[in-house]
Amino acid sequence: GEGYRVVLTARRADRIEALAAELREAGGEAEAYPLDVTDGAAVDAFAEHLGGECRVLVNNAGGALGLDPVASGDPADWRAMYEVNVLGTLHLTRALLPALIASGDGTVVVVTSTAGHAPYEGGAGYVAAKHAQHVLARTLRLEIVAEPVRVIEIAPGMVRTEEFSLTRFRGDAERAEKVYRGVANPLTAEDVADTIGWAVTRPPHVNVDLLVVRPRAQASNEKVHREG
């Protein structure tokens, strides 16, 4: 919608191909490229596919698994969350940074979470991964301050999407639904996308270091107004 040619990456080819077709039908330019961001070699091949051209990178891959306390945390879940949220961001950013610098006006967007700024009970694995991702963004900004590349962090709060809570609770639809019960208007994916679009289209000298976005009903990670 902002005039960019978009390259969509995700593991499930059917979903990104359908989205790319939708964007093209709306008059935009879009390409689907199946990719697992935890596979460093595949990410390097993707960077080669782009031919050294990239102006904006949106690191959006992520997700949570489980809601277990530290005492019973599953190391496999923690490892999987770290691989996607943190190393996925590292792989893409490292591979595309030369092209972003060469563009003369590059932007790296890191979509973290309010979990990357405050802990909550049962969320330690996800909170740890998102804190690491937050620090990655801050450190990158320090390291490339002399380059023509902005580093923007978008930290959403409660966002109701098709799969986030369903994935966290391993397909338990009833438990996933309880996360949003009584909340009149949690954020949507479109709200977050609009926020990213706004931040990316600021004048090149304007860097939005950190933008926290929550629904009005959410005052903090654990303070949410629920009706009924």
Side-chain angles (χ1 to χ4, degrees), residues 23-219:
L23 295 175
R24 288 193 295 268
E25 288 172 8
E29 292 186 71
E31 173 190 352
Y33 187 105
L35 180 66
D36 180 349
V37 298
T38 68
D39 184 338
V43 170
D44 289 340
F46 169 64
E48 290 184 16
H49 171 76
L50 291 182
E53 291 187 36
C54 183
R55 296 184 68 87
V56 177
L57 165 63
V58 180
N59 287 295
N60 185 59
L65 293 172
L67 200 61
D68 302 315
V70 173
S72 58
D74 185 342
D77 284 349
W78 283 53
R79 188 173 295 110
M81 287 186 280
Y82 194 89
E83 286 275 353
V84 176
N85 291 279
V86 186
L87 296 186
T89 298
L90 173 63
H91 289 156
L92 264 299
T93 303
R94 183 184 62 180
L96 296 181
L97 195 55
L100 290 161
I101 293 172
S103 76
D105 178 22
T107 301
V108 176
V109 177
V110 182
V111 181
T112 61
S113 166
T114 53
H117 299 269
Y120 56 91
E121 293 175 272
Y126 182 59
V127 166
K130 285 302 185 183
H131 269 72
Q133 196 183 24
H134 162 64
V135 171
L136 185 158
R138 290 188 62 186
T139 304
L140 177 65
R141 192 180 300 115
L142 294 171
E143 293 172 343
I144 63 170
V145 68
E147 304 292 351
V149 178
R150 300 180 296 181
V151 180
I152 296 171
E153 178 185 353
I154 306 293
M158 180 182 283
V159 184
R160 184 171 193 164
T161 61
E162 181 181 346
E163 294 187 339
F164 181 84
S165 290
L166 199 61
T167 298
R168 177 170 227 166
F169 298 123
R170 307 180 199 286
D172 186 334
E174 183 178 355
R175 192 176 181 192
E177 180 62 28
K178 287 182 180 178
V179 173
Y180 313 101
R181 189 165 295 169
V183 181
N185 291 292
L187 296 180
T188 65
E190 289 74 16
D191 293 326
V192 178
D194 182 57
T195 300
I196 293 169
W198 176 85
V200 167
T201 54
R202 295 311 86 205
H205 70 286
V206 177
N207 195 104
V208 180
D209 283 18
L210 170 63
L211 199 162
V212 176
V213 53
R214 307 180 194 264
R216 187 177 63 192
Q218 184 183 34

Side-chain angles (χ1 to χ4, degrees), residues 114 118 158 214-215 217-224:
T114 53
M158 180 182 283
R214 307 180 194 264
Q218 184 183 34
S220 72
N221 286 348
E222 298 185 280
K223 180 68 174 181
V224 179

